[in-house]
Amino acid sequence: MANIEKEAMFKITYGLYMLTTTDGSKQNGCIVNTVSMLTDNPKRIVVFVNKANYSEELLRKTGIFNVSVLTESAPFEIYKQFGFVSGRDKDKFEGGRYATSENGLYYLPEHTNAVISAKVTDALDYGTHTLFVAEVTEAKTLSTEKSVTYDYYQSNVKPKPQAQKAEGTKKKWVCKICGYTHEGEELPEDFICPWCKHPAEDFELIG
Ligand code: FE
């Protein structure tokens, strides 16, 4: 078996995007890092979504979505609000002020430099994830701010974990992907990060 270094895989660059979907009436939003342009003519994009996300189900159901391209000014609150809770339990757009594109879906009017609307044409099953291929139906530039990269988010947006021992005998693990902290006697081997859905191996003991 060939050597596959996990760290080598982390060298791939990604952006961060808010993905807006709908169940037909209620809208949902989540944060994804995997949006790419597939073809220029016609304009097609791809997005891969973890099946643990409610958005994956909605994309298969209704097939329309918006991608808001997040910028470096996007505060951690946006990632928290849209990335770390499930739309199954909560209306994530409740109470906020959002803009609407021609397809009727919301997008982020701030901390976003472009919004791309698309319609799913193919959904390919890859086990844990579904790869959606979609045709772009509308695309507009919103600002000249720089798009945020996943690396920028990790270094400048995500709060730094506090490396200190918790009260009592409890130990603390932090998710290296999203910053979620797990406290307890142990970190179960089959533990799944409730925020980003990464497994126990992406956690590190901090105290
Ligand atoms: Fe996580």
Side-chain angles (χ1 to χ4, degrees):
M1 170 108 169
N3 181 29
I4 298 175
E5 286 178 28
K6 208 180 160 93
E7 284 64 34
M9 301 304 290
F10 290 155
K11 300 297 184 197
I12 297 172
T13 57
Y14 297 99
L16 285 161
Y17 313 90
M18 195 183 85
L19 177 70
T20 314
T21 49
T22 179
D23 68 359
S25 53
K26 200 181 86 175
Q27 298 194 29
N28 185 51
C30 75
I31 305 293
V32 295
N33 63 346
T34 51
V35 177
S36 296
M37 189 162 89
L38 176 65
T39 59
D40 189 39
N41 188 19
K43 292 247 177 333
R44 287 192 193 97
I45 56 175
V46 291
V47 56
F48 334 136
V49 187
N50 191 315
K51 287 183 187 171
N53 287 335
Y54 183 44
S55 303
E56 193 273 342
E57 186 183 323
L58 298 187
L59 279 179
R60 275 189 290 106
K61 191 174 159 191
T62 58
I64 55 168
F65 64 92
N66 281 347
V67 167
S68 302
V69 182
L70 298 175
T71 62
E72 290 183 353
S73 74
F76 185 64
E77 282 61 42
I78 288 180
Y79 298 97
K80 231 166 106 177
Q81 183 184 354
F82 290 98
F84 302 156
V85 286
S86 177
R88 280 195 181 89
D89 320 317
K90 192 184 187 297
D91 182 354
K92 298 192 201 176
F93 287 103
E94 198 179 38
R97 283 178 39 230
Y98 303 96
T100 305
S101 53
E102 274 173 24
N103 61 4
L105 298 185
Y106 294 136
Y107 64 89
L108 269 189
E110 289 170 327
H111 311 298
T112 300
N113 58 19
V115 57
I116 298 164
S117 304
K119 196 174 181 329
V120 171
T121 54
D122 280 301
L124 306 167
D125 188 331
Y126 283 98
T128 56
H129 289 68
T130 301
L131 166 62
F132 293 97
V133 179
E135 215 162 288
V136 175
T137 56
E138 190 187 2
K140 56 183 177 186
T141 305
L142 302 174
S143 81
T144 54
E145 270 182 61
K146 271 175 87 175
S147 302
V148 71
T149 62
Y150 188 66
D151 187 59
Y152 183 93
Y153 167 81
Q154 288 288 336
S155 317
N156 302 295
V157 181
K158 194 178 83 175
K160 299 274 177 288
Q162 303 285 311
Q164 53 184 235
K165 190 127 179 110
E167 296 284 306
T169 57
K170 277 187 181 169
K171 287 189 261 184
K172 237 181 182 178
W173 288 263
V174 65
C175 174
K176 287 186 278 183
I177 308 299
C178 74
Y180 175 83
T181 311
H182 172 82
E183 273 183 53
E185 299 300 321
E186 59 167 28
L187 182 74
E189 250 174 62
D190 59 352
F191 191 81
I192 300 288
C193 177
W195 286 1
C196 72
K197 320 295 181 203
H198 275 247
E201 64 189 70
D202 287 323
F203 277 73
E204 101 190 306
L205 186 65
I206 54 163

